[in-house]
Amino acid sequence: MGTAPASRDVTSYGMGLAAPLALFFLVFLVAPLLQLLWLSLHNDTAALHWGLGQYLHFLTDPFSLSVLGSTLLLGAEVTAVCLVLGFPIAWLYQRVGPRLQTIIILIVLLPLLTSVVVRTFAWIVILGRQGIINATLQSLGIIETPLKLLYTQFGVVLALAQVQMPLMTLPLITALGRIDSNLDDASCSLGAGSWRTFFRIVLPLSLPGVIAGCTLTYAAAITAFITQSLIGGGQMLFMPMYLYQQASTLQNWPFASAISIIFLLAVLAVVSVFTTLGRLSRGYGGA
């Protein structure tokens, strides 16, 4: 009687198989980051004098700090809107039949098949003074003059929430799908109401999906250059546009490099917080 062959240890494979990916990583990620860091450590635009002047300029400039704060706040607002709207969609997906599940997943994935530029211009048409929202409200007699929806914080958050919604909904669908449906019945049979079952059973067990969705949505929202620029216009300034102005318009590459490094560190700090919460939530969900 033959014996099953022992599985080969993955560490026994040659590390040379990973060489192409490592080379790609070094050339297109590590090298540009090192160049940005090198440029940011110069005090003049000609990159002749070393120093930390660019970082001191940013960290002591109230305008630059306000732009960074506005960008991080924008990401939090978009993430909150996506979570509030995406959770019911994911919950509904797990409780309907296969035919409706196909329709829901098609609605969720359909925006990903359309260019971000096209979707952003569609929101310009919707939010404009003669757009769908203002025209509907005026025809119903609710307002007399068009509301200013375009080039506002509300417009940017609304457009970004729609653009980034799939990044929140898909992890939630996966997380809710892993919850045993019998737990709901068991909770109800023990006397717990729907809301108590949701907050004590469903929400804690879905936290890994919530954290994953928040991480993806936040990172994508604060770096969405096109949507921020077109919907926000020249009246609102966020970090991607601020960086673009310093690099392309003012040709101040050392300061633009310092902005990039500071923005990268800020995003990594927020993502690290989400990652820590996700690690804790997995332990809580498995308890």
Side-chain angles (χ1 to χ4, degrees), residues 63-64 67 225 228-229 232-257 259-260:
F63 177 77
S64 299
V67 174
F225 174 76
Q228 292 176 7
S229 304
Q235 302 177 24
M236 307 186 69
L237 184 62
F238 299 103
M239 287 296 282
M241 176 56 75
Y242 189 37
L243 197 159
Y244 174 79
Q245 289 178 348
Q246 295 297 325
S248 296
T249 305
L250 302 178
Q251 295 292 310
N252 192 352
W253 284 94
F255 188 53
S257 301
I259 293 175
S260 302

Side-chain angles (χ1 to χ4, degrees), residues 211 215 268-282:
I211 299 299
T215 304
L268 287 178
V270 176
V271 171
S272 298
V273 171
F274 280 130
T275 303
T276 303
L277 292 176
R279 203 173 290 127
L280 295 175
S281 68
R282 282 196 294 273

Side-chain angles (χ1 to χ4, degrees), residues 130-215:
Q130 304 301 324
I132 298 174
I133 296 178
N134 276 319
T136 303
L137 294 177
Q138 284 183 303
S139 63
L140 295 175
I142 298 176
I143 60 174
E144 295 182 356
T145 58
L147 299 175
K148 184 180 180 181
L149 302 175
L150 200 60
Y151 310 135
T152 63
Q153 183 84 4
F154 171 78
V156 176
V157 172
L158 189 62
L160 278 175
Q162 189 274 330
V163 170
Q164 311 300 345
M165 184 65 75
L167 300 179
M168 176 66 77
T169 308
L170 294 177
L172 288 175
I173 288 176
T174 303
L176 291 176
R178 294 175 178 172
I179 300 176
D180 189 350
S181 59
N182 292 325
L183 291 176
D184 289 354
D185 299 332
S187 177
C188 294
S189 65
L190 293 174
S194 300
W195 287 107
R196 189 179 179 86
T197 300
F198 174 78
F199 284 109
R200 299 297 297 271
I201 304 295
V202 177
L203 186 59
L205 292 178
S206 64
L207 280 180
V210 172
I211 299 299
C214 289
T215 304

